[in-house]
Amino acid sequence: MATNISSWETQILPDIMGVPYPALEIAVRNACIAFCEQTLLWTYTLDRITVAVDTQSYPLTIPGATYGEIISVDDVKYKQDGEDDDQFTTLDPISKNQKDLHDSGSWPFRTSTTPSGYWVDKDKNILLYNTPTAASSEGLLVRCNLKPTKTCTTVEDFLYKDHFEVIGAGAKAKLFSRKAQSWYDPDLAGVFGSIFNVGINDAKPIKTTGYTKRPMKVRMREWL
């Protein structure tokens, strides 16, 4: 399900009179994008990818999610062909730059029966390390971090249901910072910008804890 950006009108118009809807829509959309980029709370598990023999690179696509685009890869799992789902293992993310600096020049061309790691290029293709020499039907399971597109008119429901006021504050900060507009107010832009940033920082732990009371702090053991 998705929520229309117009749902934020009741949050914004009482504070900024006379804002035309296109400007409001852009401000809310940009606030949603910034929120997702900084918290990485919107995740999406792609359709399982079939791995082919001696094929290293695979495109990442989001079927049906026309209002979202990939920020980064969140998690990758792999299983050999024919194995049950409980045999998935997690692949380690690697840095292409660090490999180039500290490994031999042959590292991108190494092969093995199954991969142990991956990296992602600028075109959002996932590349397996090492290149697998065995095929696996639907053997690659990828979860991605998403953000709304620059032209979307709807966003994920959780942005509205769980972060309505924070995103509204972000949108108001952007609107109040528009110097050419009659409602320009740098002081209020700063106030709502601070509320937005605090809300983002408060939301970031959800990435680790989920919607639970799992503690974030390490509890020191008592000395006996």
Side-chain angles (χ1 to χ4, degrees):
M1 299 296 291
T3 297
N4 197 288
I5 288 175
S6 63
S7 300
W8 271 271
E9 285 183 302
T10 57
Q11 171 76 347
I12 295 170
L13 292 182
D15 290 327
I16 314 177
M17 297 296 293
V19 176
Y21 182 75
L24 182 149
E25 184 180 67
I26 291 171
V28 173
R29 182 190 299 124
N30 287 343
C32 289
I33 290 172
F35 183 87
C36 290
E37 287 177 337
Q38 295 184 56
T39 65
L40 301 179
L41 289 184
W42 184 13
T43 60
Y44 182 88
T45 300
L46 307 182
D47 291 342
R48 296 185 182 190
I49 299 170
T50 293
V51 174
V53 174
D54 297 329
T55 302
Q56 183 180 55
S57 179
Y58 300 86
L60 302 178
T61 57
I62 313 171
T66 56
Y67 49 86
E69 61 184 38
I70 295 172
I71 301 172
S72 59
V73 169
D74 194 54
D75 181 73
V76 179
K77 291 179 169 35
Y78 181 84
K79 67 174 182 176
Q80 293 184 340
D81 195 48
E83 290 185 337
D84 294 333
D85 286 354
D86 61 2
Q87 297 303 303
F88 270 112
T89 59
T90 301
L91 302 187
D92 294 323
I94 66 172
S95 166
K96 184 177 185 295
N97 182 64
Q98 291 299 307
K99 282 287 187 181
D100 287 337
L101 290 172
H102 303 294
D103 207 330
S104 69
S106 64
W107 76 265
F109 311 103
R110 293 174 188 158
T111 61
S112 60
T113 305
T114 61
S116 60
Y118 71 94
W119 78 97
V120 181
D121 66 16
K122 62 180 178 61
D123 297 316
K124 301 300 190 296
N125 296 308
I126 188 169
L127 294 94
L128 301 178
Y129 175 79
N130 297 326
T131 302
T133 57
S136 180
S137 178
E138 299 186 345
L140 194 61
L141 188 61
V142 181
R143 184 175 71 235
C144 293
N145 301 307
L146 302 187
K147 63 181 178 181
T149 67
K150 295 179 179 65
T151 58
C152 71
T153 57
T154 59
V155 296
E156 283 289 280
D157 285 338
F158 86 96
L159 293 171
Y160 177 80
K161 293 178 179 177
D162 299 338
H163 309 287
F164 172 74
E165 293 186 359
V166 171
I167 289 169
K172 284 185 275 192
K174 294 177 184 295
L175 289 167
F176 277 126
S177 67
R178 303 297 185 189
K179 289 185 177 181
Q181 303 301 328
S182 60
W183 57 77
Y184 170 65
D185 190 322
D187 292 333
L188 287 177
V191 169
F192 284 110
S194 295
I195 294 171
F196 184 52
N197 291 331
V198 169
I200 284 174
N201 288 332
D202 288 344
K204 284 180 179 178
I206 298 173
K207 182 70 177 180
T208 301
T209 65
Y211 292 90
T212 70
K213 295 192 295 183
R214 177 182 176 183
M216 289 290 291
K217 295 181 179 179
V218 175
R219 182 177 180 182
M220 301 299 292
R221 296 181 63 184
E222 296 181 2
W223 292 98
L224 298 177

